[in-house]
Amino acid sequence: MGLLSEGSPLSWEETKKLSDHVRKHGVIQFINLYKRLRDRQGDVLKWGDEVEYILVKFDDDAKTAKLSLRAMEILRILNEKENEDPDNTKSLWRPEYGAYMLEGTPGKPYGGLLAHFNVVEANMRYRRQEAAKLLHPNEVLMSLTVFPRVGAPDFTDPPTHPTPNTGASRSLFFPDEAIYPGHPRFKTLTRNIRERRREKVAINIPIYRDESVPLLFKEDFTSKGDDCSSKVAKDNYIYMDAMGFGMGCCCLQLTFQACNIEEARTLYDQLTPLCPIMLALTAASPFYRGYISDVDCRWSVISSSVDCRTQEERGLKPLKENKFKISKSRYDSIDSYLSRQGEKYNDVPLTYDDEIYKQLLDNGIDHLLAQHIAHLFIRDSVSLFSEKVHQNDLEDTDHFENIQSTNWQTMRFKPPPPNSSIGWRVEFRPCEVQITDFENAAIVCFTVLLTRVILSYKLNLLIPISKVDQNMIRAQKRNAVKVEKFWFRHDITSDIKSDNTQSEYTEFTINEIINGKNGIFPGLVPLVNSYLANMNVDADTHCTIQRYLKLIQKRASGELLTTAAWLRKEVTSHSEYKHDAVITQRINYDLLRKIHSIVSNDISCPELLGQCISSKTTDTIPAAVAKAEKCSATNC
Ligand code: ADP
Ligand code: MG
Ligand code: MG
Ligand code: MG
Ligand code: MG
């Protein structure tokens, strides 16, 4: 969840009073950082993944599966290796929002060799095994985007109770004890977002209309003494009221280092149209609060779960106390491109702070970057620590990071951290996490390969931001891979100069985008393959990459199910399922047990994974392979 400042959190009232202070110094810090680092050159292509996990506790007698709230205990041990020898660890572990969550990354970022693609899955497997060693009997680490019964009665181990009238969330369903207790940031964000908004967050997701779901699906919250929930809960929707429903979901993220700021802007822009496509392809979250929903992805849930906008800002009341009407939550898809090539596709009116924008221009920052930063800085700080209020703006970047790291968008433009060897980076944030390391490695390697192809072939994938926004909505619909069409550029290989951007894109299925459409669009996987054909790849890596590309191709064509489609099928074909969209404790238990059996290779699941899942992935790159690849790259 971005930067984790340590210290004593301020109350919302104190934080609110300091919001101009944080903005003012955050902008100065960005200006100083930009002046220092804008000309930084020659960083090499590095990249790394982030996988989020949940801890599940099975009770095989009672036939229940619950979220185990022991992540902090486990994290403390996992961090020991890193604390002792930070440069020689194969994995890094971080806290996440849930008291049942962990985030794992490789110990070091990967580099530019193709042979690195053969290490990704082995490293993911290593992380899973490393954590598994620390678990209690019947506890399992799972990479599952959403726990089906999160917020349903009795979903935690040990048992907890929500506290609608006290604490950080004030939720009817999600207890504060399920928020990570080891760092004050998470509860502080929860409380401040709720207090800033002046009401609980409200998340409404359509219920899946199975045959026994009542014609009017309406839950009664008044009996719980909660008027506020009854007012905002919509009929025929699954209602949720806490940050934990969104931030308690797991995702798969990727960070790329570019050789300089220009290349980082290009990557940021070019990956933007891929966000909804990859969201649809990785869809893995059809269940919420023990119900089957009618959406396949977490995005709108997580977006609403941290929506700190007041009624004025949401446009429900005329502006009086607030400065801006704001069209999106601070967790949402990006609103503007950053590269010159992207400029003409910035067709969504951008809300930004004029004074900040002007200050950035006056300091030599160009229009596109200035409006991006000024747009991020329409937000207030929602988590501030007393030790961090006063900073040295020439060296520190905490106030900048404070606002930057709580703009949770599909893409993030990451400047180099102070005093580090790290360059300009971009983060790709839309993907949902899959249940197996094989699938996650496939998504990671496919996306990284796409960045290589984009940069080497100078591809242009840009379409108007408004079309990317439309695609984000389509991507989340049930079965989007099979039934939806997405705006996509048809000619991505030649840089046609037209004034009429409308003729540049049309609607494609995911299958056509990934696998190609005869004579009209080459397809992203065929492009990756033609790039690979010109490269010298060792046999094992080649084989691994081909398995990954096949998985992506078959998911896109519908030959294999998406995770969301498979999860739905498992629940709706369970013998206890009553066609009422309800996921009982028993259904949940059987589903999670089955997932664990698949991940442990005890049973196969060809409808999800295909036939060929045996793997040549290795922990390290053999020296001879690395040498051969380096030599072929430099023609030595
Ligand atoms: P955040 O949560 O802010 O996104 P993390 O530190 O959790 O950041 O994850 C950063 C990711 O970036 C990891 O996958 C890591 O391997 C990768 N990474 C680290 N250093 C670099 C670098 N120099 N270039 C590219 N990626 C990097
Ligand atoms: Mg995370
Ligand atoms: Mg992280
Ligand atoms: Mg993070
Ligand atoms: Mg991240």
Side-chain angles (χ1 to χ4, degrees):
M1 257 184 46
L3 186 102
L4 296 167
S5 300
E6 299 282 346
S8 334
L10 299 178
S11 70
W12 168 242
E13 281 311 314
E14 293 164 320
T15 307
K16 186 178 169 184
K17 280 190 205 124
L18 287 164
S19 60
D20 283 332
H21 170 89
V22 172
R23 260 191 299 272
K24 179 177 158 209
H25 291 278
V27 170
I28 295 173
Q29 290 173 4
F30 178 76
I31 291 169
N32 290 336
L33 171 165
Y34 178 80
K35 287 182 175 165
R36 236 179 12 249
L37 296 163
R38 68 180 158 199
D39 296 324
R40 186 184 166 112
Q41 292 288 342
D43 290 306
V44 293
L45 212 138
K46 285 189 186 171
W47 54 276
D49 65 84
E50 293 167 71
V51 177
E52 293 171 351
Y53 305 88
I54 59 173
L55 271 180
V56 173
K57 172 83 179 203
F58 289 100
D59 182 331
D60 294 321
D61 297 326
K63 306 283 186 217
T64 60
K66 298 185 187 168
L67 285 170
S68 165
L69 307 183
R70 286 203 324 117
M72 188 172 79
E73 273 173 74
I74 290 157
L75 187 67
R76 202 178 294 137
I77 308 173
L78 285 170
N79 283 153
E80 280 170 9
K81 256 189 232 161
E82 180 190 351
N83 294 341
E84 280 161 26
D85 191 3
D87 294 330
N88 286 304
T89 163
K90 277 166 73 176
S91 60
L92 297 172
W93 293 94
R94 297 289 173 261
E96 255 304 334
Y97 184 84
Y100 52 85
M101 285 171 87
L102 288 167
E103 180 187 289
T105 66
K108 279 197 190 64
Y110 302 110
L113 295 179
L114 288 171
H116 279 127
F117 294 124
N118 211 27
V119 180
V120 176
E121 188 179 339
N123 188 273
M124 288 177 176
R125 197 182 299 156
Y126 171 84
R127 283 179 239 163
R128 205 183 279 272
Q129 287 166 354
E130 185 186 24
K133 283 186 203 142
L134 306 174
L135 304 182
H136 287 163
N138 266 343
E139 230 173 20
V140 175
L141 187 77
M142 302 180 107
S143 48
L144 191 62
T145 297
V146 62
F147 181 77
R149 284 182 54 86
V150 70
D154 203 12
F155 76 100
T156 66
D157 180 85
T160 51
H161 300 283
T163 53
N165 301 311
T166 56
S169 299
R170 311 263 162 115
S171 168
L172 294 175
F173 321 103
F174 195 94
D176 279 2
E177 286 133 299
I179 303 174
Y180 188 80
H183 195 291
R185 171 181 166 96
F186 302 108
K187 270 189 201 133
T188 306
L189 280 171
T190 309
R191 179 198 63 201
N192 289 355
I193 284 171
R194 179 175 51 74
E195 290 194 14
R196 188 185 189 289
R197 184 181 161 97
R198 300 198 187 133
E199 54 197 51
K200 288 194 289 189
V201 293
I203 310 163
N204 283 292
I205 298 297
I207 186 96
Y208 173 59
R209 295 233 59 100
D210 208 345
E211 58 202 43
S212 299
V213 174
L215 218 50
L216 177 64
F217 173 80
K218 189 183 177 82
E219 295 174 284
D220 181 13
F221 303 117
T222 47
S223 63
K224 302 191 175 187
D226 186 7
D227 286 350
C228 153
S229 291
S230 313
K231 274 187 208 132
V232 291
K234 294 187 190 167
D235 293 349
N236 298 316
Y237 283 70
I238 304 162
Y239 166 69
M240 294 166 273
D241 64 349
M243 181 164 167
F245 284 104
M247 287 301 205
C249 290
C250 296
C251 68
L252 172 66
Q253 296 174 337
L254 272 167
T255 296
F256 305 95
Q257 176 171 281
C259 66
N260 57 29
I261 188 172
E262 287 311 317
E263 190 180 83
R265 288 172 181 236
T266 299
L267 270 180
Y268 180 92
D269 286 7
Q270 296 297 336
L271 286 172
T272 292
L274 289 171
C275 289
I277 309 304
M278 292 307 289
L279 180 63
L281 207 53
T282 58
S285 38
F287 309 139
Y288 299 95
R289 244 189 74 223
Y291 292 107
I292 309 177
S293 81
D294 206 37
V295 305
D296 274 358
C297 302
R298 78 198 188 290
W299 195 265
S300 67
V301 175
I302 198 164
S303 170
S304 310
S305 83
V306 288
D307 189 352
C308 66
R309 291 173 303 161
T310 62
Q311 294 194 354
E312 291 181 16
E313 288 170 329
R314 279 178 281 146
L316 301 175
K317 277 185 187 169
L319 283 177
K320 228 166 75 195
E321 281 175 45
N322 293 117
K323 206 162 164 183
F324 307 107
K325 194 175 150 203
I326 304 175
S327 64
K328 287 180 187 169
S329 160
R330 59 200 296 156
Y331 200 120
D332 217 317
S333 52
I334 68 154
D335 289 307
S336 70
Y337 290 115
L338 281 179
S339 70
R340 229 166 292 145
Q341 198 181 18
E343 185 159 13
K344 71 173 172 184
Y345 302 99
N346 283 337
D347 66 334
V348 169
L350 203 61
T351 309
Y352 58 77
D353 190 304
D354 281 323
E355 274 174 45
I356 293 177
Y357 171 72
K358 200 167 161 299
Q359 185 188 357
L360 292 161
L361 285 191
D362 289 346
N363 279 280
I365 296 168
D366 59 282
H367 161 69
L368 290 168
L369 187 54
Q371 70 171 8
H372 167 71
I373 300 293
H375 178 56
L376 298 184
F377 273 72
I378 59 176
R379 310 288 173 174
D380 283 344
S381 166
V382 271
S383 155
L384 186 60
F385 295 85
S386 56
E387 295 82 349
K388 296 282 179 179
V389 173
H390 297 290
Q391 300 183 9
N392 174 354
D393 291 338
L394 284 172
E395 284 173 13
D396 298 331
T397 55
D398 268 59
H399 286 320
F400 168 69
E401 285 294 343
N402 187 316
I403 302 297
Q404 156 99 335
S405 73
T406 52
N407 269 275
W408 295 280
Q409 300 179 337
T410 37
M411 299 293 308
R412 186 176 285 161
F413 187 66
K414 291 175 164 177
N419 307 317
S420 83
S421 60
I422 300 174
W424 291 90
R425 290 151 305 150
V426 300
E427 187 179 10
F428 186 69
R429 305 163 46 85
C431 294
E432 310 226 313
V433 76
Q434 314 291 295
I435 63 171
T436 66
D437 299 325
F438 166 59
E439 298 161 280
N440 288 319
I443 290 153
V444 165
C445 292
F446 171 61
T447 311
V448 179
L449 279 164
L450 274 178
T451 64
R452 309 291 171 89
V453 179
I454 287 167
L455 293 177
S456 317
Y457 293 173
K458 298 197 170 25
L459 297 187
N460 179 9
L461 276 63
L462 303 181
I463 55 171
I465 287 283
S466 62
K467 295 291 174 215
V468 180
D469 281 349
Q470 278 183 27
N471 284 351
M472 282 298 290
I473 293 167
R474 296 175 183 187
Q476 302 176 56
K477 295 196 175 158
R478 178 162 51 86
N479 223 358
V481 164
K482 279 202 174 154
V483 302
E484 291 294 320
K485 287 195 164 192
F486 295 83
W487 298 108
F488 211 77
R489 205 176 166 91
H490 34 82
D491 185 358
I492 63 174
T493 47
S494 61
D495 191 21
I496 40 158
K497 299 254 181 296
S498 73
D499 293 329
N500 177 12
T501 55
Q502 265 177 34
S503 61
E504 296 173 357
Y505 54 87
T506 179
E507 287 174 297
F508 290 107
T509 61
I510 296 272
N511 185 29
E512 291 163 346
I513 294 169
I514 298 293
N515 293 315
K517 185 174 183 180
N518 228 344
I520 297 177
F521 185 72
L524 298 177
V525 169
L527 279 168
V528 167
N529 271 324
S530 77
Y531 166 83
L532 288 170
N534 297 316
M535 307 289 289
N536 195 346
V537 197
D538 68 279
D540 284 355
T541 305
H542 177 80
C543 169
T544 299
I545 292 176
Q546 288 310 316
R547 285 168 48 237
Y548 295 159
L549 294 179
K550 280 271 160 345
L551 179 79
I552 301 287
Q553 290 195 280
K554 288 181 178 173
R555 288 267 168 98
S557 72
E559 187 180 333
L560 297 179
L561 297 176
T562 62
T563 305
W566 180 79
L567 289 167
R568 285 179 185 282
K569 196 193 106 252
E570 286 299 310
V571 167
T572 54
S573 62
H574 191 283
S575 59
E576 196 175 272
Y577 178 64
K578 297 207 177 66
H579 299 277
D580 52 0
V582 173
I583 304 158
T584 60
Q585 285 280 21
R586 180 61 194 259
I587 295 174
N588 185 56
Y589 168 83
D590 286 337
L591 173 66
L592 269 66
R593 267 287 175 219
K594 183 157 183 183
I595 292 173
H596 184 52
S597 302
I598 294 167
V599 176
S600 314
N601 272 325
D602 295 336
I603 57 171
S604 65
C605 189
E607 55 196 336
L608 183 66
L609 304 173
Q611 298 295 347
C612 176
I613 56 159
S614 70
S615 169
K616 298 200 164 172
T617 177
T618 56
D619 277 343
T620 49
I621 303 173
V625 170
K627 185 157 177 252
E629 201 188 318
K630 270 185 201 140
C631 278
S632 75
T634 53
N635 281 329
C636 66

